[in-house]
Amino acid sequence: MVKIQKTILSRVEGEIELKLIWEKGIIKDAFIIAPNFRGFEFILEGKPILDSLIITPRVCGICGHAHLMATVNALENLYKNAGYNIEISKKANLIRLITLSAEIVQNHLRWFYLFVFPDLLKLETYTEDLSEYIPIKGKQWQKAIDFSSKIVKVIAIFGGQWPHTSYSIPGGVVCDPTTFDITESISIVDSMIKYYEENIIGMKYENYLSIEDYKEFIEKSDKDLSKFLKLCFKHNLHKIGKAYNRFLTVSNIYPIFSQGATKRKKYNFNIKKLEEIDTYSFLTKKGIDFNGKKYSWAKAVRYEGFPYETGPLARRINNKDKLFLNLLADLKDTYIPRIWARIDEIIKLLLAMKKWLQEIDIKEPSYIKPKKNIKELEGIAYGLCEAARGSLIHKLEVKEGKIKKYDIITPSTWNLGPRCEKYLSPAEKAIIGLDNSLIAEMVLRSFDVCSVCTTH
């Protein structure tokens, strides 16, 4: 007998509904439903071009800075496509990288302790050893909140506020940091690195970065990441959550992120091979449609016709990190590598942030005014960015000084969007075949669910 189970997933950004189709105790089909329509793309239509710098950071309360950067990239590419050179100082570029990285770090840290660990506790009998991870009361839970709040102060130092800052504009940034600002930021990053070493990996970062497989790490560490991995193996979570083994990253941040699409081999990313499909979406090219088979406000995204996973695991694979190539060989594209990739990214971003902060020359200009008024530009441009949850794409069409059309493809749309005629989304595929609804929710959370980004 077929059984249908619907769950509103908590502990995510916004709300996501998970609909499971059970048969003989096994999940035979899964639907990830984004139930709320927000309409940012429609709000932007007809607005003055620079209004996008204020509006798009409001798409998400967690990764709003990434949306700002995607918009700025699109506006600067609008200049380039029209034949006008945009000059950006090294100082402005460094500040943009630093603030974007700070946002990603805060997301990964909160997600691991607030969203992932509480599920593991449900599989265990509470013991004194694990009580430090109990939400609200646990010592490690509280530390994660403290340090994830600390790193966003770096964004506030340069961007004036977080979330929803709009400090980056075509031509640079509008802040003019002092030596004290940079010193304070380095101090925050240093404290984060120390926290990461003492609490998450249990060793100096130099030693961690030489680790090449999970057995070596578990043997050498007894801190939070190691405890997480041991619990996963204890409950056979190393066998769950396999998706398509296809990975996409749309932009570069040297030496951490490398643009590319990996399907057995790595290929260059080509934006022309990307397609949005509305077969199962309420939102279509012809308007809103509630016919029977449609089930989500999100659209499916395909690259060369195939679903691709985006996010930290994709970034680690496309960057050819030895540890994650080995994890992929041993454990496939499953629950553990997907979560570990997010934790791994924290230290790599912190080390890069410290280097970038030390390279800032405060004598350089923060902003170089473009030589052409943006109101006089017309055309189409893309803005690409790596956000906390993965690859983010903004597409802008401008005519007569106003936004004619704005299209946003978020990381959550790649991973959690609906199916198309041929393929399930990566997250839907990863859930099918499981025999436990809690485990199904854990697999879904391993993609770092954000419904507000999914439907934007």
Side-chain angles (χ1 to χ4, degrees):
M1 179 180 176
V2 175
K3 174 186 168 187
I4 299 175
Q5 177 185 3
K6 291 184 178 181
T7 306
I8 299 295
L9 212 64
S10 60
R11 286 187 284 113
V12 298
E13 175 75 359
E15 293 176 342
I16 281 282
E17 183 178 334
L18 178 60
K19 179 181 174 183
L20 301 175
I21 310 299
W22 294 83
E23 189 172 323
K24 297 179 180 179
I26 301 294
I27 297 173
K28 302 298 286 187
D29 202 356
F31 297 82
I32 299 169
I33 302 167
N36 299 315
F37 175 67
R38 304 180 72 220
F40 271 80
E41 292 161 330
F42 298 100
I43 292 169
L44 284 157
E45 289 181 6
K47 293 282 192 301
I49 303 168
L50 293 180
D51 279 18
S52 57
L53 297 169
I54 305 297
I55 295 172
T56 63
R58 270 75 182 172
V59 169
C60 184
I62 294 294
C63 62
H65 185 284
H67 282 281
L68 171 66
M69 291 312 307
T71 297
V72 172
N73 290 341
L75 296 178
E76 290 178 346
N77 285 330
L78 188 66
Y79 276 99
K80 293 173 186 173
N81 295 347
Y84 298 100
N85 183 42
I86 282 278
E87 192 177 353
I88 313 292
S89 69
K90 180 182 177 182
K91 173 185 170 183
N93 271 325
L94 289 172
I95 292 172
R96 288 176 177 181
L97 288 173
I98 291 162
T99 50
L100 178 64
S101 300
E103 183 175 77
I104 295 173
V105 169
Q106 67 80 27
N107 175 81
H108 291 349
L109 195 54
R110 288 182 184 175
W111 167 83
F112 184 57
Y113 285 96
L114 275 63
F115 295 174
V116 173
F117 247 115
D119 285 330
L120 278 175
L121 298 184
K122 293 176 184 175
L123 298 176
E124 284 282 307
T125 302
Y126 275 29
T127 64
E128 186 177 348
D129 185 42
L130 292 177
S131 64
E132 58 190 354
Y133 304 106
I134 295 174
I136 310 297
K137 299 177 181 177
K139 182 182 67 175
Q140 293 305 92
W141 191 95
Q142 293 173 352
K143 274 189 187 177
I145 291 290
D146 183 28
F147 279 90
S148 65
S149 299
K150 186 175 283 188
I151 194 65
V152 296
K153 290 181 181 175
V154 174
I155 306 176
I157 287 170
F158 293 100
Q161 68 178 66
W162 186 87
H164 309 322
T165 180
S166 296
Y167 86 106
S168 186
I169 60 176
V173 295
V174 297
C175 62
D176 198 12
T178 64
T179 301
F180 180 81
D181 293 330
I182 294 168
T183 303
E184 184 181 8
S185 298
I186 290 174
S187 173
I188 292 171
V189 171
D190 278 339
S191 70
M192 294 291 299
I193 292 172
K194 187 170 185 287
Y195 160 77
Y196 186 91
E197 289 178 332
E198 293 179 352
N199 291 270
I200 298 177
I201 55 175
M203 63 183 73
K204 291 293 182 184
Y205 71 80
E206 296 93 336
N207 297 329
Y208 169 75
L209 294 177
S210 69
I211 298 284
E212 293 190 354
D213 66 65
Y214 69 87
K215 293 176 184 173
E216 180 187 359
F217 177 73
I218 289 174
E219 184 180 317
K220 293 180 177 178
S221 172
D222 62 351
K223 294 300 181 182
D224 294 353
L225 178 57
S226 181
K227 289 179 182 178
F228 165 79
L229 294 172
K230 288 171 184 171
L231 287 170
C232 285
F233 282 105
K234 176 182 175 182
H235 293 285
N236 288 321
L237 301 184
H238 59 293
K239 298 177 180 176
I240 63 165
K242 187 177 182 329
Y244 287 105
N245 198 31
R246 289 192 284 263
F247 307 101
L248 190 88
T249 306
V250 301
S251 61
N252 294 303
I253 297 181
Y254 180 80
I256 310 164
F257 303 159
S258 301
Q259 186 188 68
T262 296
K263 186 176 67 172
R264 297 190 184 92
K265 293 182 179 179
K266 184 181 175 184
Y267 302 90
N268 293 331
F269 170 70
N270 184 344
I271 193 90
K272 294 179 181 177
K273 295 180 179 179
L274 185 152
E275 181 184 14
E276 283 188 292
I277 300 171
D278 58 21
T279 308
Y280 289 86
S281 173
F282 299 133
L283 194 60
T284 73
K285 293 176 183 174
K286 297 178 181 178
I288 294 171
D289 182 353
F290 292 108
N291 87 45
K293 67 180 182 181
K294 295 175 181 290
Y295 63 90
S296 177
W297 284 101
K299 297 175 188 172
V301 190
R302 298 292 180 262
Y303 185 75
E304 293 184 309
F306 296 101
Y308 273 72
E309 178 173 347
T310 184
L313 179 58
R315 292 196 282 250
R316 302 276 57 78
I317 299 302
N318 282 322
N319 208 48
K320 298 184 177 179
D321 286 14
K322 187 71 177 291
L323 169 61
F324 286 89
L325 292 176
N326 289 339
L327 285 174
L328 194 67
D330 290 339
L331 305 176
K332 312 302 179 189
D333 52 329
T334 53
Y335 182 77
I336 288 178
R338 194 171 293 127
I339 288 177
W340 194 345
R342 282 175 162 79
I343 303 307
D344 178 84
E345 222 169 58
I346 292 174
I347 188 61
K348 288 171 179 166
L349 287 168
L350 288 171
L351 294 172
M353 285 175 68
K354 183 171 181 178
K355 179 174 178 291
W356 294 330
L357 283 161
Q358 292 168 332
E359 290 177 359
I360 291 177
D361 180 354
I362 59 173
K363 296 176 183 175
E364 286 189 350
S366 296
Y367 170 68
I368 301 172
K369 186 176 180 180
K371 295 175 181 175
K372 185 78 173 177
N373 188 332
I374 199 167
K375 295 178 182 176
E376 299 173 17
L377 299 179
E378 289 192 349
I380 296 174
Y382 288 93
L384 310 180
C385 178
E386 285 303 313
R389 297 178 176 88
S391 297
L392 173 64
I393 299 172
H394 284 208
K395 181 183 178 184
L396 173 76
E397 184 175 355
V398 170
K399 190 172 184 180
E400 297 177 350
K402 299 287 178 64
I403 297 169
K404 182 179 179 183
K405 189 170 178 57
Y406 206 103
D407 190 29
I408 300 172
I409 298 176
T410 66
S412 296
T413 313
W414 283 101
N415 294 331
L416 312 170
R419 63 201 61 195
C420 62
E421 296 289 359
K422 291 185 178 179
Y423 300 102
L424 306 178
S425 70
E428 287 177 337
K429 181 182 184 302
I431 289 170
I432 289 177
L434 298 174
D435 59 2
N436 181 303
S437 58
L438 172 60
I439 301 294
E441 292 176 18
M442 292 170 68
V443 169
L444 181 50
R445 285 198 184 90
S446 72
F447 288 89
D448 195 358
V449 179
C450 178
S451 74
V452 297
C453 271
T454 307
T455 54
H456 49 274

